[in-house]
C-alpha cells in the first residue's frame, strides 16, 4: 500500500466545475467529501480569462497569466465570456461598454468575439477554460477525466445552458448535468438533506459552565456568573427555504430556493431570483482606482497621464487594498509614479480606513440589499420564512456586506465554506451522487468528535462533547493570561485528546481591540453553536468592551467514519497520559499566576517583613518556579509544593492588603 491512490479506479470520476464570469474552479468529491483540485503552484481559482494571438487566433495565455496582463492587451484578451454565452449581440448591448474587445454578430443570432480577422465563439473561449481545468483535475487525481457537472446561474435560459454544454463538448468533456449555482451552494452545505430534521424543537443541549476555565487563567466565578443565553429554539421543517446571496466580480444575484427531500431524491425549486448583471467586486476596484487617480492628479497636476501599465498597476493595487480591508481596519496605499521632469520623486501615499471604505461602498451594498427585498417579494416570502442564508462569491468576504445581509435576514449568514469555492464544491457533490460514490460524509445527528478551544500552555478546553445531539450549544467564560493583552487568539479544535498537538485544528480567529486590562480581568464569553446542518459557529465576546469576533466552520469536512473511529480509539489509548499532561499544564499556569501575584506583594511589603519569613516565602517561590520550568516533574509533588507556597503566603497577602488600605486612607 503506497497510500497515494486518490480515486477508486472502478468508478469513473465526475468532477464539478464552477465556470464563473470572473473565476473558475474545479472540485472533486469522494468518501471524504468535496475538495478543490489545485492547479500549478497551488492555485485554486483560475481567472476566466483567455488571451489570443492577435494575428493567428491561437491561444497565448489562460488564467492568471492572461488576467495579469489584460490591460496591456485589451483587444486580444477575452474576459467575461460567460456574459456572451448563448446570446445575440442585441441581447448583450448593455455589456458591450464593459468589454474592451470587439464583439460582433455571428451566424444564427449569436455573439462572437472578433480578434484580428478571427471570429471566436464564447463557447470556444469557455472551452479553453474548461480544458485547462480538466488538465488540473487529471494532474491532481492521476486519472483521465471525461465527465463533469457544470454550474450556471439560476437565471440562465435554455440557450445559455445549451451553450454551456457545447463548451464542455468542445473541451472533450461530457457535461453530465447542468446545476444551478445557488443549488450547488446549498448542496455543498448539505442543506435540505438533514437526517432527523423536524423533531428538534427542544434539541439544543446546553452545557452549563461548571466553573470557568480560561483561555489562560481561571476567572473568579463570582465575578462572572454564568451568563448563558437561553437556547435558541430551532425548528426545521422537512423542507428548507434558503436564500443564496452571490456577489462575485462582475455580477450579483440572490435566489430563494425551496429544498425538499422526496423519495426520488432531492428536489429544489427556485422560488425567485433577483440581481444585477453589472454589480460586483469590480465596481469596488473601480471606486478605489478613481479615488487614487483623482488624488494623484490633485497632488501632481491634472495633466498627468496614466499609460496602460500604470492603469493595470492601479487596478491590481485597488483590488489588493479592498481584499486587505476585509481583514484589517485600514490599508496603506503607496504608488511610486517615477521622477517628474526636474527629477523630483513623485510618491503618492494614503491610508484608507475600513470606516471610510464602508462609507464609499455603502450605496453599492444598498443595491444588493434592495435586490434581496425584491427576491423575497417575488418569492412571496418574509424574512421569517428563510431558514438559512448562504454566502457565495468572493465579494461576500467584505465585512459590510456580511453585516448588512445578516441584518436584513436577521440571521448569521453561512460563510463556513470559502465563498468563492462553495459552488464548485457543490458541483462536485452532485458529481459524486451521479457517479454513485458512497459518500460516507458523516451526515449524522450527533457530533462525532468533541469541539473546543486552545487554552494556555497547549491544553484543550472542550465546550461540546462527542455524541452530543445536533443542534448543540455551549457557552463558557475565559480570560487573559498577560497584563494589557489587547488581542486574543481563539483556536478551534476537534478531537478527544487533551493536548492541542493531538487534536485536529479547525481554524482560528482573533478578538482584537480589547482595551488593555490586567491579566484575568477581561471577560471573554465563547459560544459554540452547531446547527441542524452541522455547521459550527464560534463567537467570542469580551463583555467589558463588547468587542466581538466569530468564525464558522464545517467540522466534519474531509473526515471519514474510519478517521473518527481512529481518533476515538486514540483517546482511549492515551487517556491516562493525556490527563496527566493536562493536569501539569493547569498546575504550571496556576503556579505562574501565583508567583506573579506573590512577587508583586513582595515588592510592596517586602521591606516591612521580618527577614526569616521573607526568606521562607522566597524559598517556596524558588522551588515552585523550578518545578514549573522543568519538563519531567511529578504532578503530585508539584501540587504539594504549590499548596505549600500558597499556605506560606497567606500572611504576606494580608500584609499587602493592610498596606493598600493604609495607602487609600492616606
Ligand atoms: P465570479 O463568480 O464572478 O467568477 P468570484 O466569486 O470569484 O467571481 O469573486 C471575485 C470577486 O471577489 C473579485 O471582485 C475579487 O476582488 C473579490 N474578492 C475576493 N476575495 C476578496 C476579499 N477577501 N475581500 C473582498 N473581495 C474579495
Ligand atoms: Mg460565481
Amino acid at each position: 500500500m503506497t497510500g497515494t491512490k486518490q480515486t477508486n479506479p472502478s468508478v469513473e470520476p465526475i468532477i464539478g466545475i464552477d465556470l464563473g464570469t470572473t473565476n473558475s474552479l474545479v472540485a472533486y468529491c469522494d468518501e471524504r467529501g468535496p475538495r478543490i483540485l489545485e492547479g500549478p503552484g497551488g492555485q485554486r481559482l483560475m481567472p476566466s480569462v483567455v488571451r489570443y494571438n492577435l494575428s493567428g487566433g491561437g491561444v497565448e495565455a489562460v488564467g492568471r497569466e492572461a488576467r495579469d496582463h489584460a490591460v496591456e492587451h485589451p483587444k486580444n484578451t477575452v474576459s467575461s465570456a460567460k456574459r456572451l454565452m448563448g446570446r445575440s449581440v442585441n441581447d448583450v448591448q448593455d455589456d458591450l461598454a464593459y468589454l474592451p474587445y470587439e464583439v460582433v454578430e455571428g451566424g444564427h443570432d449569436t455573439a462572437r468575439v472578433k480578434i484580428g480577422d478571427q471570429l471566436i465563439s464564447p463557447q470556444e473561449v469557455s472551452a479553453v477554460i474548461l480544458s485547462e481545468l480538466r488538465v488540473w483535475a487529471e494532474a491532481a487525481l492521476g486519472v483521465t477525466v471525461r465527465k463533469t457537472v457544470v454550474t450556471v446561474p439560476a437565471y440562465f435560459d435554455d440557450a445559455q445552458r445549451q451553450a454551456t454544454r457545447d463548451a464542455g463538448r468542445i473541451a472533450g468533456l461530457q457535461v453530465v448535468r447542468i446545476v444551478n449555482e445557488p443549488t450547488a451552494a446549498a448542496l455543498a452545505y448539505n442543506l435540505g438533506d438533514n437526517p432527523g430534521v423536524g423533531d428538534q424543537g427542544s434539541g439544543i443541549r446546553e452545557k452549563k459552565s461548571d466553573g470557568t476555565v480560561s483561555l489562560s487563567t481561571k476567572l473568579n466565578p463570582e465575578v462572572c456568573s454564568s451568563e448563558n443565553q437561553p437556547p435558541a429554539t430551532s425548528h426545521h421543517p422537512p423542507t428548507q427555504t434558503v436564500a443564496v446571496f452571490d456577489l462575485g466580480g462582475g455580477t450579483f444575484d440572490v435566489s430563494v430556493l425551496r429544498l425538499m427531500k422526496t423519495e426520488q431524491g432531492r428536489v429544489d425549486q427556485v422560488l425567485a431570483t433577483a440581481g444585477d448583471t453589472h454589480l460586483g467586486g469590480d465596481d469596488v476596484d473601480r471606486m478605489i482606482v478613481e479615488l487614487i487617480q483623482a488624488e494623484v492628479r490633485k497632488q501632481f497636476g491634472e495633466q498627468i497621464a496614466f499609460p496602460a501599465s500604470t492603469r493595470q498597476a492601479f487596478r491590481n493595487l485597488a483590488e489588493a487594498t479592498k481584499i486587505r480591508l476585509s481583514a484589517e481596519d485600514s490599508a496603506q496605499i503607496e504608488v511610486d509614479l517615477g521622477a517628474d521632469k526636474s527629477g523630483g520623486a513623485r510618491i503618492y501615499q494614503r491610508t484608507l480606513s475600513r470606516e471610510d471604505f464602508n462609507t464609499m461602498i455603502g450605496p453599492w451594498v444598498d443595491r444588493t440589499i434592495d435586490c434581496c427585498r425584491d427576491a423575497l417579494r417575488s418569492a412571496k416570502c418574509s424574512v421569517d420564512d428563510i431558514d438559512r442564508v448562504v454566502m457565495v462569491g468572493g465579494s461576500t468576504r467584505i465585512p459590510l456586506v456580511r453585516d448588512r445581509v445578516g441584518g436584513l435576514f436577521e440571521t448569521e449568514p453561512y460563510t463556513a465554506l470559502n465563498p468563492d469555492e462553495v459552488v464548485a464544491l457543490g458541483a462536485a457533490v452532485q458529481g459524486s451522487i451521479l457517479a454513485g460514490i458512497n459518500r460516507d460524509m458523516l451526515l449524522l445527528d450527533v457530533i462525532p468528535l468533541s469541539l473546543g478551544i486552545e487554552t494556555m500552555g497547549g491544553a484543550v478546553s472542550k465546550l461540546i462533547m462527542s455524541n452530543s445531539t445536533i443542534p448543540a450549544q455551549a457557552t463558557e467564560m475565559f480570560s487573559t493570561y498577560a497584563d494589557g493583552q489587547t488581542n486574543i487568539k481563539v483556536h478551534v479544535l476537534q478531537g478527544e485528546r487533551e493536548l492541542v498537538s493531538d487534536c485536529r485544528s479547525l481554524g482560528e480567529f482573533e478578538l482584537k481591540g480589547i482595551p488593555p486590562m490586567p491579566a484575568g480581568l477581561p471577560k471573554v464569553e465563547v459560544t459554540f453553536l452547531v446547527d441542524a446542518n452541522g455547521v459550527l459557529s464560534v463567537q467570542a465576546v469580551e463583555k467589558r468592551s463588547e468587542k466581538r469576533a466569530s468564525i464558522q466552520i464545517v467540522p466534519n469536512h474531509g473526515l471519514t467514519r474510519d478517521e473518527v473511529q481512529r481518533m476515538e480509539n486514540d483517546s482511549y489509548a492515551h487517556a491516562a497520559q493525556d490527563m496527566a499532561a493536562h493536569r501539569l499544564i493547569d498546575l504550571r499556569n496556576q503556579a505562574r499566576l501565583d508567583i506573579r501575584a506573590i512577587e508583586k506583594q513582595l515588592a510592596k511589603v517586602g521591606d516591612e517583613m521580618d527577614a526569616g519569613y521573607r526568606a521562607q516565602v522566597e524559598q517556596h517561590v524558588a522551588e515552585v518556579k523550578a518545578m514549573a520550568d522543568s519538563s519531567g516533574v511529578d504532578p503530585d509533588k508539584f501540587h504539594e509544593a504549590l499548596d505549600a507556597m500558597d499556605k506560606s503566603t497567606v500572611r504576606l497577602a494580608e500584609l499587602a492588603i493592610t498596606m493598600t488600605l493604609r495607602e487609600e486612607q492616606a
Side-chain angles (χ1 to χ4, degrees):
M1 289 280 283
T2 58
T4 52
K5 195 174 61 184
Q6 299 194 38
T7 52
N8 180 347
S10 67
V11 262
E12 166 143 34
I14 302 181
I15 55 173
I17 292 180
D18 170 7
L19 185 60
T21 311
T22 315
N23 294 303
S24 297
L25 299 90
V26 57
Y28 180 67
C29 180
D30 55 18
E31 295 77 6
R32 283 165 190 277
R35 64 178 190 279
I36 297 294
L37 301 179
E38 296 181 345
Q43 287 179 80
R44 298 168 78 83
L45 297 177
M46 186 170 87
S48 309
V49 184
V50 181
R51 184 168 79 239
Y52 288 89
N53 189 308
L54 254 181
S55 43
V59 173
E60 253 183 26
V62 187
R64 201 188 272 181
E65 161 74 12
R67 186 211 45 201
D68 287 350
H69 299 281
V71 176
E72 295 146 54
H73 305 279
K75 298 288 167 220
N76 53 328
T77 301
V78 185
S79 56
S80 302
K82 188 174 179 177
R83 294 183 184 279
L84 307 177
M85 296 280 275
R87 318 298 309 274
S88 69
V89 170
N90 203 28
D91 293 332
V92 295
Q93 279 307 322
D94 291 350
D95 295 285
L96 297 183
Y98 296 86
L99 305 175
Y101 49 87
E102 197 178 347
V103 178
V104 298
E105 191 72 59
H108 313 287
D109 283 340
T110 55
R112 297 285 153 95
V113 178
K114 184 160 190 277
I115 290 173
D117 43 19
Q118 280 274 122
L119 289 188
I120 301 163
S121 70
Q123 289 89 322
E124 289 173 279
V125 181
S126 293
V128 174
I129 293 160
L130 292 174
S131 298
E132 185 72 7
L133 289 174
R134 178 191 185 180
V135 170
W136 286 18
E138 292 187 337
L141 297 173
V143 293
T144 308
V145 173
R146 279 183 295 245
K147 294 180 175 177
T148 185
V149 169
V150 180
T151 57
V152 297
Y155 57 78
F156 257 29
D157 64 19
D158 285 343
Q160 291 169 299
R161 285 166 200 257
Q162 188 53 47
T164 305
R165 282 185 193 281
D166 292 344
R169 223 190 34 235
I170 299 168
L173 281 165
Q174 185 193 345
V175 178
V176 291
R177 182 152 317 169
I178 298 271
V179 177
N180 288 332
E181 287 162 12
T183 304
L187 263 175
Y189 278 107
N190 294 312
L191 292 174
D193 201 12
N194 311 312
V197 292
D199 58 349
Q200 293 162 335
S202 56
I204 288 196
R205 270 194 4 160
E206 196 173 357
K207 182 180 164 194
K208 288 276 174 239
S209 290
D210 42 354
T212 44
V213 246
S214 64
L215 280 183
S216 39
T217 169
K218 287 197 171 74
L219 266 186
N220 177 351
E222 277 100 34
V223 180
C224 62
S225 58
S226 155
E227 288 168 65
N228 289 344
Q229 285 151 5
T233 41
S234 110
H235 178 72
H236 280 279
T239 11
Q240 279 192 317
T241 310
V242 175
V244 181
F245 181 100
D246 183 348
L247 188 56
T251 61
F252 166 64
D253 51 272
V254 52
S255 314
V256 179
L257 308 181
R258 178 163 294 154
L259 307 171
M260 285 163 283
K261 205 170 176 194
T262 68
E263 272 157 28
Q264 286 78 45
R266 301 169 43 119
V267 184
D268 77 289
Q269 193 184 356
V270 181
L271 298 182
T273 65
D276 186 331
T277 52
H278 291 109
L279 181 71
D282 296 348
D283 301 323
V284 177
D285 301 348
R286 217 172 293 127
M287 286 183 242
I288 299 175
V289 168
E290 278 163 17
L291 175 82
I292 297 175
Q293 289 187 346
E295 290 185 350
V296 163
R297 291 210 157 99
K298 214 161 142 198
Q299 194 176 340
F300 300 108
E302 293 296 330
Q303 69 302 337
I304 194 164
F306 303 118
S309 59
T310 309
R311 290 203 313 277
Q312 178 78 59
F314 282 167
R315 210 168 108 175
N316 296 347
L317 181 66
E319 189 183 19
T321 304
K322 169 184 78 176
I323 288 173
R324 188 126 218 195
L325 285 170
S326 290
E328 312 278 333
D329 288 333
S330 70
Q332 199 67 35
I333 304 177
E334 188 177 306
V335 187
D336 186 347
L337 294 144
D340 61 16
K341 284 194 202 81
S342 49
R346 291 183 303 182
I347 294 178
Y348 163 79
Q349 249 179 335
R350 72 114 73 207
T351 303
L352 185 59
S353 69
R354 166 90 66 82
E355 222 178 313
D356 290 346
F357 175 72
N358 285 352
T359 310
M360 182 174 86
I361 65 171
W364 174 81
V365 182
D366 287 343
R367 286 167 62 198
T368 68
I369 299 296
D370 289 344
C371 289
C372 292
R373 293 207 180 91
D374 288 347
L376 283 173
R377 209 172 303 129
S378 43
K380 299 194 172 57
C381 280
S382 75
V383 161
D384 295 336
D385 298 325
I386 304 293
D387 298 306
R388 287 285 156 214
V389 180
V390 176
M391 293 298 233
V392 180
S395 301
T396 60
R397 289 220 174 83
I398 297 174
L400 183 66
V401 172
R402 291 186 175 184
D403 289 352
R404 296 288 311 277
V405 174
L408 173 72
F409 288 100
E410 296 165 15
T411 178
E412 186 84 9
Y414 267 6
T415 54
L417 300 174
N418 263 340
D420 34 24
E421 298 180 354
V422 57
V423 168
L425 294 173
V429 170
Q430 180 67 66
S432 74
I433 295 169
L434 295 171
I437 290 177
N438 171 23
R439 289 175 309 127
D440 195 1
M441 271 183 41
L442 303 164
L443 302 177
L444 304 173
D445 51 7
V446 297
I447 289 158
L449 292 164
S450 300
L451 300 167
I453 64 170
E454 173 170 357
T455 55
M456 190 64 200
V460 179
S461 170
K462 299 191 174 97
L463 278 90
I464 295 183
M465 305 309 280
S466 59
N467 294 320
S468 303
T469 48
I470 289 175
Q473 180 176 328
T475 300
E476 285 195 22
M477 296 300 268
F478 296 86
S479 192
T480 51
Y481 184 71
D483 286 335
Q485 208 177 319
T486 53
N487 286 0
I488 293 175
K489 193 175 84 180
V490 180
H491 183 190
V492 183
L493 295 144
Q494 176 179 46
E496 301 317 306
R497 305 283 302 273
E498 295 290 328
L499 302 185
V500 171
S501 49
D502 297 319
C503 287
R504 183 169 179 245
S505 172
L506 292 179
E508 58 181 49
F509 64 100
E510 249 181 308
L511 186 57
K512 291 183 191 169
I514 299 165
M517 285 181 251
L521 213 56
K523 293 173 20 176
V524 182
E525 184 186 81
V526 176
T527 304
F528 273 46
L529 173 67
V530 180
D531 70 16
N533 302 305
V535 175
L536 165 68
S537 306
V538 179
Q539 183 176 242
V541 188
E542 201 288 302
K543 301 297 267 187
R544 293 177 198 276
S545 58
E546 279 298 313
K547 290 281 174 196
R548 56 184 67 229
S550 61
I551 194 173
Q552 261 183 25
I553 300 160
V554 185
N556 298 340
H557 213 88
L559 271 184
T560 62
R561 263 177 223 272
D562 287 349
E563 280 166 319
V564 170
Q565 192 65 55
R566 206 200 52 214
M567 289 171 87
E568 226 171 55
N569 293 345
D570 270 5
S571 83
Y572 297 138
H574 296 93
Q577 169 200 340
D578 275 11
M579 287 308 288
H582 199 147
R583 187 163 164 232
L584 260 184
I585 289 174
D586 286 346
L587 285 168
R588 238 176 238 141
N589 290 340
Q590 193 57 50
R592 292 197 173 120
L593 276 177
D594 290 354
I595 289 172
R596 202 154 60 186
I598 292 169
E599 282 172 345
K600 275 188 192 160
Q601 291 164 352
L602 278 175
K604 193 166 200 157
V605 296
D607 297 342
E608 298 190 8
M609 293 164 69
D610 69 81
Y613 178 44
R614 183 173 184 161
Q616 187 199 334
V617 169
E618 282 170 348
Q619 171 66 26
H620 278 296
V621 168
E623 248 168 53
V624 171
K625 222 182 217 168
M627 286 180 148
D629 291 340
S630 119
S631 53
V633 58
D634 173 58
D636 290 330
K637 293 227 168 70
F638 194 178
H639 195 175
E640 270 168 37
L642 197 55
D643 247 8
M645 178 179 80
D646 285 344
K647 286 207 181 82
S648 83
T649 53
V650 172
R651 197 148 60 83
L652 171 64
E654 283 167 4
L655 282 172
I657 290 168
T658 315
M659 173 79 100
T660 307
L661 288 176
R662 228 191 297 148
E663 282 167 358
E664 276 171 8
Q665 272 153 19

